[in-house]
Amino acid sequence: MNVKILLIRPKPHKETIGLQKVMICEPLELEYLGTYIKSYGHEVEILDMILEKKPISFYIEKFNPDVVGLTAYIAHVNIVKEYAREIKQIKNCSVVVGGVHAEVVPEDFDSPFIDYIIKANGIKTFGQIISALQNNLSTENIEGIWGNNLSPIKETTFAYPHPDRSLVKKYRDKYYYMFHNPCALMKTSFGCPYNCSFCFCRKITDGKYFFRNIKDIIDELKNIPEDEIYIVDDDFLVDRDRLLEFCNALDEQNIKKKYLIYGRADFIAKNEDVIKRFQASGLRAVIVGLESGREEELLKYNKKSSVEINETAVSILNKYNIECYGTFIIGIDYEKKDFSNLYIWIKKLNIKFINLQPFTPLPGTELYDDYKDTLIISRDQFEKWDLAHTVVKPVKMDIRSYYFNILKIYYKITMNPVNILKMIKKYGIKECFKLSLGTSSITMQYIKKSLQKEIR
Ligand code: B12
Ligand code: SF4
C-alpha cells in the first residue's frame, strides 16, 4: 500500500523579523525529499504555508495524509510544534520534523505531538521511516532518528535524484530573491572548509565539506526553467579549478543564466581572474560575510580575513559590476561611535545592499554555552532567534538605542538618493518600489520593537 505524504514549509511567526517581505525561496529541501519518496511510488504533496492563506487544519482535512513532514529552522520551532499539535487533533498520522536545526539541536523539537525528529541524513532517514511505516515494521533501528540512541555518521556524498521542481509548480512564479525574480535554488556543496567561531552552518555537516561534480550540477541546471539561480552553498567560492571548470561547462553547454552565490572575501581578493571569468558566464551577485570593518573583531570571529582583504574584495566586485550583498555582525559591545564608523566604512566601500545581524550565539555552536547565562531572549522564544533580534544584552547601550542605531544604518544606506537612482536605473521602478515596500515593512517591525515598553 502506498503512503500519502504531505510535506510542509511553515509560515514564520509574526514576532519573527522575517525576510519573506523581500524574498521567498523555493523549499528545495522538501523538493529533494518529495522527489526521492515519489520514486518509490508514494503520493507526495508540498504545502508552502508562506504562500497559502488558509489554516493548517484545512489542508490536513483536504489531503488526509498518512505522514506529515515538517521542515524548520530555529525560528520555526514553536510554529512546527503547534502545527504538530493541530495535525494530531485532526488525524492520527505520523509527524516527522527535519531540517538544519533538528540536525544540530534535535532536542529543541521534543514534543508529544512529534513522532520522529531527524538528526542525520534527512533524505535517507525519511525514506527508511516511510518504508518501515508502510510495512508495519519498527523504526527503532533507524540511525538518523533522534531518540533511538544510535550514532549515525553524517554522509559525505550526495547521490539523490535531482529535485523535481514541478512539485511546487503552483507556487513557482512567486519565488524570488530581491531583484532576482523569479528565482530557483540549487545546492552544489555541503558544509564549509573554514571555521568561523560564530558559524552554525559548519555544525550541520559535523565540520565536513563535500561537493557534487560539475557534470551532475550542469545536468540539473539544464532542467531548471528559471534564469536566475541562487546557489545556496555556504561558500561557493572555494576551489578555483572547480569554478573554472564550472564556467567552461556553462559556456560549452550554452547555458545562459544569472547566479547569486555566497562567497568569502579572501577568495575574491585573491582570485580576481576567476571572478572576471565567472562574471562573463553569468555571475550577478555575491553575498559576502564581511562581518566587520574592525581588525580585532575579524580576528575574534576567526574569519581568516582582514579589513584590507574585505575592501579589495568589494572593489573587485564593483569593478566587474557584480552586486555585493554585504552581511555584518553587530557586536554586543557596540556603542554609538562603532555604529557611525560602520556606516562610514560601508559608505566608503559603496555597498548598496546590507544585512546587519546582531551577534547571535546560536544553540549548537560553542559560543552558545559562553552566552547562555546572559540571554535576554530565552532559548524557548524560538521565533525571536531570527538573527535580527538581539538575544544577548548589549553591553554599552540600552536595547532601544541599539535597535535604533541598526535602523539608522539601514535607513541611510537604502534611502541614499544616489543608491536609489542607481537601483532604479538597473532594475526598473516597479521592482524598486516592490522592494522598498518590503524593506519598509521590516523597518516597521523594528520600530514597533523599539517602541515596546519592555523590549524583548
Ligand atoms: C538559502 C537559505 C535561506 C533562504 C530560504 C531557503 C529555503 N530553502 O527556503 C532565505 C534567504 C529566504 C533564508 C531565510 C532565513 N534563514 Co536561511 N539559510 C539558507 C541557507 C544558506 C541554505 C538553506 C537551503 O536552502 N538548503 C538546501 C536544502 C536542500 O538543504 P537543507 O536545508 O540542509 O535540507 C536537508 C536536511 O536538513 C533535510 N531536511 C530539511 N527539512 C526536512 C524535513 C523533513 C521532514 C526531513 C525528514 C528532512 C529534512 O533534508 C534536506 C535535504 O538533504 C542556510 C545555510 C545552510 N547551510 O543550511 C541558511 C540558514 C538555514 N538560515 C537560517 C536562518 C536563521 C534564516 C532566517 C530565520 C533568518 C531571518 N532573519 O529571516 C530566515 C527564515 C526563513 C523564513 N522565511 O522562514 C539559519 C538557520 C539556523 C538554525 N539553527 O536553524 C541558517 C543555517 C544560516 C545561519 N545563519 O546559520 N534562508
Ligand atoms: S566561511 Fe561562512 S560558512 Fe564557512 S565557517 Fe565562516 S561563516 Fe561559516
Side-chain angles (χ1 to χ4, degrees):
M1 197 192 73
N2 289 342
V3 183
K4 274 180 95 176
I5 300 148
L6 183 61
L7 299 172
I8 306 178
R9 194 249 292 267
K11 188 199 272 308
H13 193 281
K14 62 178 181 355
E15 282 287 344
T16 304
I17 301 181
L19 297 170
Q20 70 275 8
K21 299 284 185 331
V22 286
M23 56 189 75
I24 301 176
C25 298
E26 64 177 305
L28 189 63
E29 50 286 335
L30 297 184
E31 294 166 27
Y32 265 118
L33 287 172
T35 308
Y36 181 66
I37 292 304
K38 229 174 46 155
S39 70
Y40 288 90
H42 302 298
E43 196 183 325
V44 178
E45 188 148 330
I46 294 183
L47 182 66
D48 189 341
M49 289 301 285
I50 298 185
L51 293 167
E52 293 290 356
K53 300 273 180 289
K54 296 197 168 73
I56 193 87
S57 51
F58 172 85
Y59 302 98
I60 300 299
E61 272 160 15
K62 185 174 161 209
F63 192 70
N64 193 26
D66 303 310
V67 177
V68 173
L70 296 161
T71 187
Y73 296 165
I74 185 167
H76 308 125
V77 175
N78 286 331
I79 301 260
V80 298
K81 282 183 179 169
E82 180 52 25
Y83 279 2
R85 193 187 64 78
E86 288 177 41
I87 292 165
K88 290 281 189 179
Q89 264 179 0
I90 298 167
K91 196 171 177 217
N92 190 20
C93 53
S94 298
V95 175
V96 188
V97 172
V100 291
H101 194 68
E103 295 232 359
V104 181
V105 229
E107 61 274 20
D108 278 353
F109 292 93
D110 195 12
S111 149
F113 307 107
I114 295 175
D115 302 291
Y116 305 105
I117 301 165
I118 308 305
K119 69 171 180 182
N121 308 327
I123 303 176
K124 182 169 118 188
T125 307
F126 195 52
Q128 290 170 336
I129 293 174
I130 302 293
S131 163
L133 294 176
Q134 182 186 22
N135 298 303
N136 256 329
L137 297 172
S138 159
T139 52
E140 268 171 27
N141 293 323
I142 300 179
E143 283 190 334
I145 299 176
W146 177 71
N148 279 358
N149 293 324
L150 301 165
S151 309
I153 295 173
K154 292 204 172 172
E155 288 178 342
T156 48
T157 55
F158 197 81
Y160 294 100
H162 295 163
D164 172 2
R165 290 176 160 82
S166 70
L167 278 168
V168 289
K169 199 165 155 209
K170 62 178 168 180
Y171 305 122
R172 276 207 89 74
D173 61 343
K174 308 222 168 40
Y175 292 135
Y176 74 106
Y177 186 107
M178 298 206 301
F179 296 117
H180 309 256
N181 187 8
C183 181
L185 258 60
M186 193 174 175
K187 183 125 176 135
T188 85
S189 72
F190 299 81
C192 169
Y194 293 87
N195 191 9
C196 304
S197 64
F198 57 85
C199 182
F200 174 86
C201 297
R202 299 186 63 259
K203 301 284 165 194
I204 304 166
T205 53
D206 285 347
K208 292 166 190 153
Y209 173 66
F210 57 102
F211 44 85
R212 293 168 52 194
N213 73 46
I214 299 295
K215 187 186 170 305
D216 187 39
I217 298 165
I218 296 289
D219 287 347
E220 182 178 341
L221 259 182
K222 279 190 203 155
N223 290 314
I224 300 182
E226 289 78 10
D227 285 339
E228 296 278 350
I229 309 290
Y230 173 18
I231 298 183
V232 294
D233 298 13
D234 293 331
D235 181 5
F236 189 60
L237 300 178
V238 173
D239 177 342
R240 54 175 284 131
D241 293 339
R242 180 172 181 264
L243 283 163
L244 292 173
E245 189 189 341
F246 177 64
C247 294
N248 291 340
L250 290 176
D251 293 358
E252 275 160 25
Q253 302 284 326
N254 201 22
I255 298 176
K256 304 251 177 275
K257 294 193 186 282
K258 301 266 187 299
Y259 304 91
L260 160 67
I261 61 164
Y262 292 87
R264 284 177 55 94
D266 55 347
F267 182 95
I268 300 168
K270 260 188 251 145
N271 297 280
E272 181 174 343
D273 60 329
V274 179
I275 298 301
K276 186 179 172 198
R277 174 73 187 83
F278 196 178
Q279 194 267 357
S281 296
L283 179 61
R284 186 178 170 197
V286 188
I287 305 168
V288 190
L290 296 167
E291 324 302 3
S292 169
R294 277 176 18 191
E295 226 59 85
E296 66 275 18
E297 279 189 309
L298 293 171
L299 205 65
K300 189 173 81 188
Y301 298 146
N302 194 29
K303 194 71 203 179
K304 302 268 186 266
S305 186
S306 69
V307 176
E308 194 191 341
I309 290 175
N310 277 344
E311 291 180 357
T312 311
V314 177
S315 72
I316 290 175
L317 295 178
N318 286 344
K319 180 172 167 189
Y320 295 103
N321 201 17
I322 298 165
E323 214 68 79
C324 174
Y325 301 157
T327 68
F328 302 86
I329 297 176
I330 308 296
I332 51 164
D333 59 346
Y334 272 31
E335 48 191 320
K336 208 163 174 274
K337 71 169 178 4
D338 299 311
F339 282 99
S340 308
N341 289 341
L342 179 63
Y343 168 68
I344 293 167
W345 190 59
I346 293 173
K347 210 165 159 245
K348 179 181 127 186
L349 293 178
N350 193 16
I351 303 179
K352 296 188 280 302
F353 300 98
I354 53 167
N355 184 4
L356 308 175
Q357 302 188 338
F359 169 77
T360 307
L362 282 170
T365 63
E366 287 79 13
L367 285 181
Y368 177 76
D369 291 329
D370 299 345
Y371 288 91
K372 67 177 190 300
D373 299 327
T374 55
L375 297 177
I376 47 167
I377 288 181
S378 60
R379 166 90 171 258
D380 57 0
Q381 294 181 72
F382 292 103
E383 48 281 356
K384 295 183 183 168
W385 286 75
D386 51 12
L387 308 178
H389 280 81
T390 172
V391 298
V392 183
K393 194 173 181 331
V395 184
K396 295 179 183 158
M397 292 178 108
D398 62 77
I399 307 169
R400 196 161 278 150
S401 323
Y402 189 83
Y403 279 135
F404 177 71
N405 276 283
I406 292 181
L407 258 185
K408 216 161 88 181
I409 302 188
Y410 271 130
Y411 183 80
K412 288 204 286 192
I413 296 292
T414 50
M415 288 300 149
N416 176 328
V418 181
N419 285 350
I420 294 178
L421 277 177
K422 274 190 195 155
M423 280 200 286
I424 293 179
K425 218 171 134 198
K426 200 163 172 183
Y427 303 108
I429 196 144
K430 200 173 141 213
E431 284 294 303
C432 290
F433 182 66
K434 198 175 136 199
L435 189 72
S436 72
L437 279 184
T439 49
S440 314
S441 133
I442 297 173
T443 308
M444 278 315 291
Q445 271 184 294
Y446 262 123
I447 292 176
K448 273 192 206 147
K449 188 129 284 288
S450 313
L451 293 177
Q452 276 168 10
K453 262 201 191 130
E454 200 189 345
I455 303 183
R456 281 284 183 274

